[in-house]
Amino acid sequence: MSQNNLEEQPFKSGRVNLDPDGAEQGLAQLVLTVIELLRQLVERQAIRRVDGGTLSEEQIEQLGVALMNLEVKMDELKEIFDLDDEDLNIDLGPLGNLL
């Protein structure tokens, strides 16, 4: 190797520069995406159970309130981390979008 090639190579410190704010935002996005996916699955299952007639009126009411509360909490968390619904819809490439 010539001296010229050594000078052209970028300096490598061996350290990874991580932006703490970016890491927190990315982690929040991932966690909220998983929670939103699970919320949607639970909601679909609840609709199937309601349509199937396996729940009492009281259970339907409790389930509805729980799902509404979860949606409100998700909206609060998205606001805290400055995320919107599109931020939680991860592109899976050839499989399409997650949500």
Side-chain angles (χ1 to χ4, degrees):
M1 257 178 154
S2 72
Q3 183 69 11
N4 242 358
N5 285 342
L6 288 175
E7 290 174 10
E8 292 173 13
Q9 293 178 354
F11 176 73
K12 295 181 182 179
S13 68
R15 295 181 183 170
V16 176
N17 290 330
L18 294 177
D19 175 18
D21 295 330
E24 180 181 283
Q25 184 75 9
L27 181 59
Q29 182 179 8
L30 178 61
V31 169
L32 291 179
T33 298
V34 170
I35 292 171
E36 178 62 16
L37 177 63
L38 292 172
R39 187 194 68 77
Q40 288 183 15
L41 291 172
V42 167
E43 188 174 271
R44 288 180 190 140
Q45 181 64 26
I47 290 170
R48 282 189 208 111
R49 290 187 66 195
V50 168
D51 290 345
T54 60
L55 298 175
S56 70
E57 289 296 321
E58 184 178 336
Q59 290 172 319
I60 292 171
E61 180 69 24
Q62 290 172 347
L63 189 55
V65 169
L67 289 172
M68 286 190 306
N69 289 340
L70 182 55
E71 188 171 358
V72 167
K73 186 54 75 176
M74 282 294 295
D75 289 341
E76 289 174 9
L77 290 170
K78 286 188 285 189
E79 187 175 324
I80 289 169
F81 291 103
D82 194 28
L83 297 168
D84 58 26
D85 290 336
E86 270 307 304
D87 294 325
L88 304 184
N89 196 5
I90 296 174
D91 181 8
L92 300 175
L95 298 175
N97 290 334
L98 180 63
L99 303 173

